[in-house]
Amino acid sequence: MRYGWTTGACATAATTAAYTALLTGEFPDPVEVLLPKNRRPAFALATESLAPGSASAGVIKDAGDDPDVTHGALIVATVSAGEPGSGVTFRAGQGVGTVTLPGLPLAVGEPAINPVPRRLMTEAVARVAAAHGGSGDVVVEISIPDGEEMARRTWNPRLGILGGLSVLGTTGVVVPYSCSAWIDSIRRGVDVARALGHEHVAGATGSTSERVVAELHSLPETALLDMGDFAGAVLKYLRRHPVPRLTLAGGFAKFSKLAAGHLDLHSQRSQVDLRLLASLVPESLAPSITEANTALHALQLAQAAGVPLGDRVAERARAVAVEVLEGASIEVDVVVIDRAGVIVGRAGS
């Protein structure tokens, strides 16, 4: 599949072009940038504007074949002269968020431009300054038109990044379906929850299970982790960065996979083991469970027979979670729901 470029890489290209134009009066197009691992992609400019004391350049983000919410977004850098000796100062323009909660790798009040993109842009400014006799003392404002609307489909509001998107990327490259952005958001969610002093967090596989667990335990939004299929990502990060209590909440089918030891619950990467479910019911019911059409069908058969299969799946899933946590001092409980959002199984406190 075709790789793409991060918002950080696009912002670096736009900054390079804008600062070059500010010093020389000409926009390089395409503009080449240096990324980690010595990658040197060239970006075509979508917009350019030169005014007294400032220059702006825009690059359209190409996320390749990844279903990235920012694919096709315009990333604009406006560069102007800064105070002598100030170095590079970053500002959030239209559509770029501002950090409002602790626990992120940026201080509260800072533009949501992550550390690696900041480093890439700072290095790009230094190279342009050396090539064209500039001081390197500049203000770089990054804008993403429509970024505030796009951000509503990301974790940013929950992480306390308000007003728009984050400028992200550690390698500059978007790997299709790598899920790295989702897992990184899970980690940042844990960081924010810890920084806010939350002693209880919950990882949920979807919106219904999240609603159920939030109501069950009266948890604030900042204590909720959008786990999705990445149970392993939640558990492994909490193993290194523990909180006193963790609740895992999700559908019966997905937690049947966790009960079997799968830490990635996506349908393309793990399947429900009906034989495992059959091992959790009386022998008389086991053949019917083994031949069930789906996990939900197995649950319905068990419920009709008065067998608490949901509780038993929750117990097995909790045991797997505790094993992955490897002795971390975290109290774990599990809540299993059906498709209607009804709790069908619980284990732990």
Side-chain angles (χ1 to χ4, degrees):
M1 300 184 76
R2 191 169 62 89
Y3 284 24
W5 306 107
T6 63
T7 47
C10 296
T12 300
T15 298
T16 301
Y19 190 35
T20 301
L22 184 63
L23 295 179
T24 68
E26 298 290 336
F27 289 89
D29 189 9
V31 55
E32 184 180 273
V33 297
L34 176 61
L35 299 180
K37 299 185 179 180
N38 203 36
R39 290 188 175 96
R40 295 177 178 270
F43 294 80
L45 297 186
T47 64
E48 54 185 61
S49 175
L50 186 58
S54 70
S56 297
V59 171
I60 298 293
K61 176 175 176 176
D62 180 0
D65 289 328
D66 193 71
D68 192 312
V69 68
T70 58
H71 176 69
L74 176 65
I75 315 298
V76 179
T78 300
V79 179
S80 56
E83 294 294 327
S86 62
V88 180
T89 301
F90 293 98
R91 290 181 182 168
Q94 177 191 1
V96 171
T98 299
V99 176
T100 67
L101 293 178
L104 297 173
L106 299 166
V108 171
E110 281 291 307
I113 303 170
N114 270 21
V116 172
R118 288 182 185 230
R119 175 172 60 80
L120 293 176
M121 284 183 270
T122 299
E123 292 172 351
V125 164
R127 284 191 293 271
V128 173
H132 301 292
S135 68
D137 300 321
V138 295
V139 176
V140 177
E141 180 180 285
I142 304 299
S143 303
I144 307 176
D146 301 321
E148 187 167 7
E149 175 61 31
M150 294 179 206
R152 295 191 179 99
R153 305 197 297 275
T154 74
W155 270 51
N156 276 17
R158 178 169 294 175
L159 294 175
I161 298 171
L162 304 183
L165 293 163
S166 301
V167 178
L168 302 172
T170 55
T171 65
V173 177
V174 175
V175 179
Y177 294 93
S178 68
C179 305
S180 59
W182 194 319
I183 292 172
D184 185 65
S185 293
I186 289 172
R187 294 169 178 168
R188 300 295 77 78
V190 172
D191 293 342
V192 168
R194 281 165 50 91
L196 292 174
H198 294 320
E199 296 189 348
H200 185 183
V201 300
T205 58
S207 59
T208 301
S209 55
E210 181 177 273
R211 174 182 55 78
V212 169
V213 75
E215 293 175 355
L216 181 66
H217 293 304
S218 300
L219 293 173
E221 187 177 48
T222 47
L224 302 175
L225 308 173
D226 188 2
M227 179 173 72
D229 294 316
F230 304 110
V234 169
L235 294 168
K236 292 173 185 176
Y237 196 70
L238 282 171
R239 183 173 67 202
R240 302 191 302 274
H241 308 276
V243 294
R245 184 175 179 190
L246 166 68
T247 299
L248 297 176
F252 178 78
K254 287 190 182 295
F255 273 35
S256 294
K257 298 178 187 180
L258 181 59
H262 297 293
L263 300 182
D264 185 338
L265 310 181
H266 194 280
S267 60
Q268 293 183 344
R269 296 183 286 272
S270 60
Q271 300 297 320
V272 173
D273 186 349
L274 291 172
R275 290 172 299 179
L276 170 67
L277 297 182
S279 73
L280 302 178
V281 302
E283 287 187 13
S284 59
L285 184 59
S288 298
I289 298 296
T290 303
E291 297 300 320
N293 293 327
T294 62
L296 177 61
H297 185 208
L299 175 64
Q300 291 169 338
L301 291 171
Q303 288 174 325
V307 176
L309 182 57
D311 287 335
R312 294 173 185 178
V313 164
E315 290 166 3
R316 286 287 295 257
R318 180 181 181 276
V320 170
V322 170
E323 182 178 0
V324 174
L325 289 170
E326 293 183 354
S329 183
I330 303 175
E331 184 180 348
V332 181
D333 68 291
V334 171
V335 177
V336 179
I337 65 169
D338 64 14
R339 291 182 179 177
V342 176
I343 295 176
V344 297
R346 294 187 68 177
S349 60

